[in-house]
Amino acid sequence: MLDLNSDKSIYIQISDTIENEILKGNLKEDDRSPSTNEFAKIYKINPATAGKGLNILVEEEILYKKRGIGMFVAKGARDKILKKRQEAFFKETIPELIREAKMLEVKDSEIIKVIENYNGGEG
């Protein structure tokens, strides 16, 4: 679901949405991706904005185009997304977590305990 009030650009949200669907297994290799026009109609956005989000994924070889048919999930797309997001996680998320923990004087052992006991909210 796109958040039209978010600080994150709509076209980035579109590419993130497709990546998330691939990671969840809802879109598999060679499955057809929602089209530019489908995104534009559903979210009432400019087709060029939707196209920009899809083209990012084409450039990253996560989607590929079949002329006149649409865009499809490329072979190895899930692994590419995992690698990209893991790198961002370790480069951006973890350092921010550590900075915040230090500022709040949270001990390393407390963070480790929370991580080890975390069940993702799944019972």
Side-chain angles (χ1 to χ4, degrees):
M1 188 62 148
L2 301 183
D3 179 359
L4 302 179
N5 297 315
S6 172
D7 289 339
K8 188 183 266 191
S9 297
I10 294 170
Y11 70 93
I12 297 292
Q13 291 183 56
I14 287 171
S15 63
D16 287 350
T17 297
I18 293 172
E19 285 185 354
N20 290 341
E21 292 302 306
I22 292 169
L23 289 175
K24 292 176 188 174
N26 296 333
L27 283 174
K28 296 179 178 25
E29 291 181 356
D30 295 319
D31 281 356
R32 187 180 161 284
S33 167
S35 71
T36 297
N37 290 332
E38 288 168 336
F39 273 111
K41 184 177 178 182
I42 292 168
Y43 296 108
K44 296 177 180 29
I45 59 173
N46 187 318
T49 300
K52 190 172 180 180
L54 293 171
N55 284 328
I56 288 171
L57 298 176
V58 171
E59 289 170 14
E60 294 178 357
E61 299 179 341
I62 291 168
L63 296 180
Y64 65 92
K65 295 179 183 181
K66 285 188 180 178
R67 190 172 180 90
I69 299 175
M71 296 197 195
F72 295 81
V73 178
K75 299 229 181 291
R78 187 171 189 281
D79 290 338
K80 286 179 186 174
I81 296 166
L82 281 173
K83 182 178 181 192
K84 176 177 79 168
R85 294 228 183 149
Q86 287 171 358
E87 287 172 0
F89 178 77
F90 286 109
K91 185 177 178 184
E92 300 162 14
T93 305
I94 294 293
E96 180 57 33
L97 175 113
I98 292 168
R99 280 191 294 276
E100 184 73 10
K102 285 187 185 302
M103 187 170 63
L104 297 175
E105 300 176 9
V106 176
K107 296 177 185 163
D108 293 352
S109 60
E110 293 175 282
I111 296 171
I112 292 167
K113 183 177 179 182
V114 168
I115 291 170
E116 288 176 344
N117 293 323
Y118 184 73
N119 65 10
E122 299 173 6

